[in-house]
Amino acid sequence: MEILLNTTLISLFFGTFGTTIGGVIGISFKSTSNKFLSFVLEFAAGLMIAIICFELIPKAIEISNIFNIIIAILVGVAMMIFCDNMVKYRYSKKTNVQVNSLLRTGIVVGIGLAIHNFPERTSYWFWL
């Protein structure tokens, strides 16, 4: 039980620490171009797709069957489409605020990270 607690606390620390450092770096750039923001988003998306294809899906196939994996992927895609539509709807009501598409993408990614981290951070309490 102690190993599980230590692993959970260490992963929580490094996950939070990395996110905080990324946020500080992002805030420190006062005037960023759309080209730079696009590059950063493309790099992060490529990294995430590589991790999914080469690590997560093969490990999931070892644990479960392909039907469950496809259902889980489709649920995740549907949740992100729903979040994207909600962000579009929220900002389309405000006519005096022009929302950059990169800003909207960043908001949707932030919502996705929050949804992703919720079960990850609360899974420790399931095992107690």
Side-chain angles (χ1 to χ4, degrees):
M1 183 61 75
E2 185 177 329
I3 293 172
L4 182 62
L5 178 62
N6 288 341
T7 304
T8 302
L9 291 176
I10 289 171
S11 65
L12 177 67
F13 170 75
F14 282 112
T16 306
F17 185 69
T19 304
T20 303
I21 287 181
V24 168
I25 290 171
I27 290 172
S28 65
F29 292 114
K30 295 296 179 193
S31 61
T32 56
S33 67
N34 283 346
K35 187 176 181 180
F36 176 73
L37 291 175
S38 296
F39 172 76
V40 170
L41 287 172
E42 290 167 0
F43 181 77
L47 189 63
M48 295 293 279
I49 290 172
I51 290 171
I52 289 168
C53 291
F54 298 121
E55 294 208 16
L56 294 179
I57 290 179
K59 188 68 172 178
I61 289 173
E62 290 177 11
I63 295 171
S64 184
N65 59 21
I66 194 73
F67 179 73
N68 290 340
I69 295 167
I70 290 172
I71 294 296
I73 290 171
L74 291 176
V75 167
V77 168
M79 286 178 67
M80 292 311 295
I81 290 171
F82 175 75
C83 290
D84 187 41
N85 288 333
M86 291 305 295
V87 169
K88 283 181 190 175
Y89 174 74
R90 169 112 165 97
Y91 285 106
S92 68
K93 289 171 61 176
K94 296 181 178 182
T95 57
N96 59 350
V97 177
Q98 292 291 336
V99 178
N100 188 345
S101 64
L102 291 174
L103 176 61
R104 194 175 72 229
T105 302
I107 291 170
V108 172
V109 168
I111 292 170
L113 283 171
I115 293 170
H116 166 268
N117 285 338
F118 180 73
E120 183 178 303
R121 301 293 185 231
T122 58
S123 64
Y124 168 74
W125 302 110
F126 175 76
W127 295 106
L128 286 180

